[in-house]
Amino acid sequence: MTMKWNLVTKGMRPHAQLTTKLEQKIAKLETHLEHFPPDAVHLQVNLERHTKRDWFDAALTLRLPSNILESKKSGPDPVTVLDQAVKAILREVAGLKSELRRESDWQREAGRKV
């Protein structure tokens, strides 16, 4: 599956290491989203550098057919901030897939005997 995505930057230009890392993370995210229709999935990555101090904000918005998932992280290094934001979005995707599969209904009661 190839997911549509775009990168929006403010106050900075994405360097090669950042774009390589982003492409790796998007490939990892695509493996978790292969059961969703590819034309209905879109990821927007916003990276902003604050000019007064060396601080970066990363905001990811993942649009799925049933939901819109968002993740926002801040820190001094753009690569680690992006990595943290992608990990947060992966946790949200895992929770959404669990909810869509109704895994909580599958769980047995702890004290119930078969």
Side-chain angles (χ1 to χ4, degrees):
M1 170 183 161
T2 34
M3 177 173 55
K4 292 184 264 180
W5 63 277
N6 61 342
L7 173 64
V8 179
T9 59
K10 183 177 177 184
M12 65 179 284
R13 287 183 182 254
H15 49 82
Q17 180 187 9
L18 184 69
T19 54
T20 304
K21 187 74 157 177
L22 180 61
E23 289 170 356
Q24 289 172 354
K25 294 297 180 177
I26 288 174
K28 184 174 184 177
L29 190 59
E30 286 176 345
T31 60
H32 292 275
L33 299 172
E34 45 186 39
H35 295 294
F36 290 97
D39 58 338
V41 177
H42 184 267
L43 177 70
Q44 180 162 349
V45 181
N46 294 326
L47 281 174
E48 180 180 355
R49 179 180 180 268
H50 295 283
T51 54
K52 297 199 181 215
R53 59 183 182 149
D54 285 335
W55 200 254
F56 297 91
D57 290 335
L60 274 64
T61 305
L62 180 64
R63 299 180 192 282
L64 296 172
S66 59
N67 255 341
I68 296 176
L69 305 177
E70 294 181 332
S71 170
K72 295 179 184 175
K73 297 292 177 185
S74 298
D77 182 37
V79 176
T80 56
V81 169
L82 183 66
D83 190 35
Q84 292 171 352
V86 170
K87 285 181 183 178
I89 219 71
L90 281 171
R91 284 192 300 270
E92 287 191 33
V93 166
L96 175 68
K97 286 172 66 175
S98 172
E99 184 180 315
L100 290 173
R101 288 191 295 250
R102 298 181 186 262
E103 286 182 358
S104 63
D105 294 345
W106 300 358
Q107 303 297 324
R108 288 189 175 188
E109 295 175 17
R112 190 173 134 193
K113 304 273 184 191
V114 179

